[in-house]
Amino acid sequence: MNGVLRRTHLILRRGYLLTFPVVLPAGSTEKFCMSLHGSDNFKSYTLTLTHQDTEIVEEFNLWTVQFRVLTMKRDLKPRIGQISQVFIKDSNDVRVKQWLDVQSEGLTSLDFQLAREPLLGVWKIEATIDGDLTTQTFKVDEYVLPKFEVTINPPKFLLSNSSTVEGEICAKYTYGKPVRGRLEAEICLGGHRSINAPCASIVEEIEGCYSFSVNATDVGFRKGYYFYRAELKISAEVWEAETGVMVKESHKGPRISFDPLKITLKDDSNKFFKPSFPYHGRAEVTKPDGSVAPGEIIEITMINYKYDIRLSKNFTSDKNGIIKFSSCHQPLSFNMAEFSVQARAVEYTDEGGVPTFRLYMPRAYSTIKQWFSPSKSFIQIPQINHTVKCGEEVTLDIPYTTTLDSYTLFHYQVMSRGKMLHTGHKEHHFLKHDKTQMLDVPQEECLILEVENRVPTSPPTPTTTVHVDPTHTTSTFARPSPPTPPTPGLEKLIEEPFQPELFEPLNEPLGMPFEPLNSPIRKKRYIMPPNQEEKIEISENPSTHISHVKIKFVVTPDMAPHAKLLVYYIREDGETVADSISFNVEKCFRNKVSMEFNNDQVLPGAETIIKVEASPGSLCSIGVVDKSINILGGDHQLTPEKLLAAIEDLDLSKYNNLYNDNDYCERKRKTEKEASEGESMEMADSLYGWYYYSSKYVDSIQAFKKMGLRVMTNLQVESRPCSYSHPVVYDSVPMPLSGGIARQFLPTSRRVPNSATQRNVVINNKNVIRNYFPETWLWSLEKIG
């Protein structure tokens, strides 16, 4: 095998592997796991730190300042203790009310009476708990409580070649009955469009709903208008016939789409492939509004340009808009570092005409990297594509590669919200009769190897197109030109030893105009040596057989809304083999709460009963207000979705910058230098600081990164080959910029942007005149049991 070394002996190692969350919140009790390799031990430990960690969510009522402060831990259990301070500040940021050292059992209800003529504008509620400040805003304004609402239902999507614009406008009372009155509406194209583009007007008598259909040319769909990134804008006013009361509403969207379909490429292995297993991919075909697109013919192609391999086939999307495809029995070479997957809707073509007034062929591209193992040992956890219910037992049949007659101890961990929730281990004995030659794949999912029309020797070159929406995830590619013949004498220049004195310093300021194309070429230039790729080492005892192991665990409410599973084992030579997946869990809570009225309908002034059920000892917050308040706007209601969304920030996989190719390859390079003797490393010694380190592969550390785990071990978790390249130094590069051609230099520095999250929630209400305050019917805290 070209470029591949084989190890001559097997190293039996004893060691340990300790995993724990990347972030350890203060005040929490954490679990971490240690595997002792060579002693058949697997243990779990707990760790406790001081200082409390809380998450705060607030909700309030708009007409008098009534609000509640909900304090909870990340396991959604109440945080019991004092709230240091709660302030109310007016629109001038003046503190008008405060509470200090408020005792809370996890839920606290507070209220504040506004002055007779309060300062109008946006006010703030600030709560400080354990040094953490959370801010919620509300608006104090004059308004009339509306008795009916106007809703606008625009078209689900709008293509650039649409001939009509259709939609519906409805007016209904808060109790569901239709409103009789007069509708005045205007339909335009907003955003980036021509200033003089027209709008379509509608004036109609309605009772409830009115469906409209206007010519696209009446709202600006004309070849003389520019509407790149334009979106539909609809405004409507409804006058009630009996009272003359007017309610207005407006809506923006959808944005004009230049693609009739959207293709998203996904797979069962997080954009990686493992040479021992067939690659399984999925193409999700949707319409511009996100709805499924069944019956669409999509060409799927897998290409490796280096080895001139091309697999292709036409598929038809199923009723859910899904296409499943696989490499099946076609070999994915161990030497193949990556391949590309391309998808295109072959029944659509790139239309001609004005760039902003046509459709384009839907396309999607993805690059799949190899998951590397020097022993060809892999685990492939099958994806859980459905939402798992709480209390459900998950059973996974996990394929893995191994050696004959082997005993393998599998370790598995389940995490959610940055916390390790479940751990376990299982031993599996692989015998010859358990062997599986290849994983079964339905024949209709298999791509076909193309023999003729060989692919080019390099990937297609992207072509820039100004007409594509920046939010669009696909690009247009064109066939590359034939490779340029090498410059005479270039090979000799590359083979010459590195001579820094040949570099010519460039003292001109950046942005200086570039010389004409016919100007003399600078004489002092140097071509750096070619990139150096590490030779691949293969273990003496590689895993050549495929077997299966079953792992079971029960899903708990603590795993909602998302959870992750890690499975790994350790070979006798100390190599760690791992894989991990993410899966969705239904939105559920340990404490089941229900609430209902004993009557579906009652007369004004009549009494009704609310029935609330919860676990004994539960503290329940109950609020009943007029539905008309929600018409005014604002998004202040606390829902299960909002509650679980507030803890999604606890996902630790975003801290994956703790492991990167450059640091790993630098450590590996340093170890190689220390172990090397003779003159083989002289070149590297002279240019050590000039190397840029990278890898075309991933390995087992990727599974731990996706979990958000930190690993401490003396075993082999990282084994991927590295590439060592010199920074590219250019004499000068012409680049078209605004205002002409400017001089640019490489390399450019890499920057990692910092991001910050804010908990502020702004509630925007309609500006309407207020004549009276609506009544809050019920606002109380009730203890159950």
Side-chain angles (χ1 to χ4, degrees), residues 19-272:
T19 60
F20 55 90
V22 173
V23 177
L24 299 175
S28 62
T29 300
E30 298 295 329
K31 177 185 289 187
F32 61 93
C33 295
M34 178 181 290
S35 305
L36 303 177
H37 181 56
S39 62
D40 296 331
N41 286 333
F42 176 76
K43 296 186 177 181
S44 297
Y45 301 86
T46 57
L47 176 67
T48 303
L49 303 177
T50 59
H51 196 287
Q52 200 72 26
D53 175 44
T54 61
E55 188 73 30
I56 306 172
V57 180
E58 297 177 276
E59 60 173 339
F60 55 88
N61 188 309
L62 289 178
W63 23 89
T64 61
V65 186
Q66 295 179 311
F67 63 96
R68 296 183 178 120
V69 180
L70 172 63
T71 59
M72 62 182 181
K73 304 176 185 177
R74 60 176 173 172
D75 58 2
L76 298 185
K77 293 182 180 179
R79 179 266 188 197
I80 299 176
Q82 283 189 343
I83 301 175
S84 302
Q85 55 192 27
V86 180
F87 297 152
I88 293 184
K89 296 182 178 181
D90 63 18
S91 56
N92 288 335
D93 207 32
V94 176
R95 189 187 308 171
V96 296
K97 180 68 176 179
Q98 71 176 24
W99 295 264
L100 302 177
D101 298 330
V102 180
Q103 189 63 33
S104 172
E105 295 185 11
L107 190 59
T108 302
S109 183
L110 300 172
D111 60 80
F112 167 64
Q113 183 66 47
L114 289 171
R116 183 178 297 274
E117 296 183 0
L119 187 66
L120 303 182
V122 178
W123 290 39
K124 292 191 296 186
I125 302 174
E126 296 180 350
T128 303
I129 303 178
D130 299 328
D132 293 331
L133 174 66
T134 296
T135 301
Q136 183 87 303
T137 61
F138 64 98
K139 194 170 186 179
V140 176
D141 206 348
E142 297 179 347
Y143 61 87
V144 173
L145 188 65
K147 293 303 181 182
F148 67 92
E149 63 178 327
V150 177
T151 58
I152 299 175
N153 301 314
K156 294 182 178 180
F157 59 89
L158 200 58
L159 297 178
S160 58
N161 66 346
S162 298
S163 58
T164 60
V165 177
E166 300 177 349
E168 186 181 56
I169 300 174
C170 295
K172 294 183 179 180
Y173 293 104
T174 56
Y175 48 85
K177 295 295 180 65
V179 175
R180 186 172 60 86
R182 182 166 58 92
L183 165 67
E184 293 186 7
E186 189 176 63
I187 305 170
C188 310
L189 283 181
H192 296 264
R193 67 181 183 93
S194 299
I195 297 177
N196 297 323
C199 294
S201 298
I202 298 174
V203 178
E204 294 287 344
E205 297 294 325
I206 67 169
E207 185 171 355
C209 294
Y210 175 78
S211 297
F212 63 85
S213 178
V214 299
N215 290 329
T217 55
D218 294 340
V219 296
F221 280 73
R222 301 178 185 177
K223 294 185 178 181
Y225 295 112
Y226 175 79
F227 54 85
Y228 172 62
R229 293 200 68 182
E231 62 181 353
L232 195 65
K233 183 177 180 181
I234 304 175
S235 59
E237 298 177 350
V238 176
W239 280 264
E240 188 182 26
E242 287 77 8
T243 63
V245 173
M246 186 269 290
V247 174
K248 63 173 60 177
E249 184 61 66
S250 62
H251 181 89
K252 290 184 178 182
R255 180 173 292 177
I256 293 179
S257 175
F258 298 89
D259 299 282
L261 299 174
K262 179 180 178 181
I263 306 174
T264 304
L265 290 172
K266 298 183 178 181
D267 56 35
D268 294 341
S269 51
N270 297 316
K271 292 191 176 182
F272 306 114

Side-chain angles (χ1 to χ4, degrees), residues 55-57 72 640-650:
E55 188 73 30
I56 306 172
V57 180
M72 62 182 181
E641 290 75 18
K642 290 183 182 179
L643 192 61
L644 292 175
I647 60 177
E648 286 191 16
D649 190 53
L650 298 171

Side-chain angles (χ1 to χ4, degrees), residues 508-630:
E508 299 94 339
L510 294 177
M512 182 177 180
F514 187 71
E515 301 94 348
L517 295 178
N518 58 357
S519 62
I521 301 176
R522 295 179 182 269
K523 295 182 179 180
K524 286 188 178 181
R525 290 190 179 186
Y526 184 77
I527 305 298
M528 300 296 282
N531 296 347
Q532 302 180 29
E533 294 187 6
E534 180 183 347
K535 293 182 178 179
I536 299 175
E537 294 185 353
I538 298 179
S539 300
E540 184 183 55
N541 189 26
S543 299
T544 56
H545 302 283
I546 299 177
S547 185
H548 296 255
V549 62
K550 289 185 181 293
I551 289 180
K552 301 179 181 180
F553 62 92
V554 177
V555 175
T556 65
D558 294 337
M559 298 179 186
H562 310 291
K564 299 180 180 182
L565 170 67
L566 168 72
V567 180
Y568 69 92
Y569 73 87
I570 303 171
R571 284 171 46 95
E572 291 182 347
D573 58 4
E575 180 189 350
T576 301
V577 184
D579 193 18
S580 62
I581 63 168
S582 300
F583 59 95
N584 296 324
V585 180
E586 71 171 352
K587 299 174 177 62
C588 56
F589 303 92
R590 289 189 178 276
N591 187 2
K592 307 298 181 182
V593 181
S594 64
M595 182 182 72
E596 62 180 358
F597 287 91
N598 67 333
N599 304 103
D600 294 333
Q601 184 176 354
V602 293
L603 297 175
E607 292 186 355
T608 187
I609 297 176
I610 299 177
K611 182 181 179 181
V612 180
E613 293 184 357
S615 300
S618 299
L619 183 62
C620 295
S621 167
I622 303 174
V624 181
V625 296
D626 195 314
K627 185 180 178 180
S628 300
I629 295 176
N630 294 328

Side-chain angles (χ1 to χ4, degrees), residues 319-333:
K319 63 179 181 180
N320 297 315
I322 302 295
I323 292 173
K324 295 182 179 180
F325 61 93
S326 174
S327 61
C328 294
H329 301 284
Q330 302 298 335
L332 296 179
S333 171

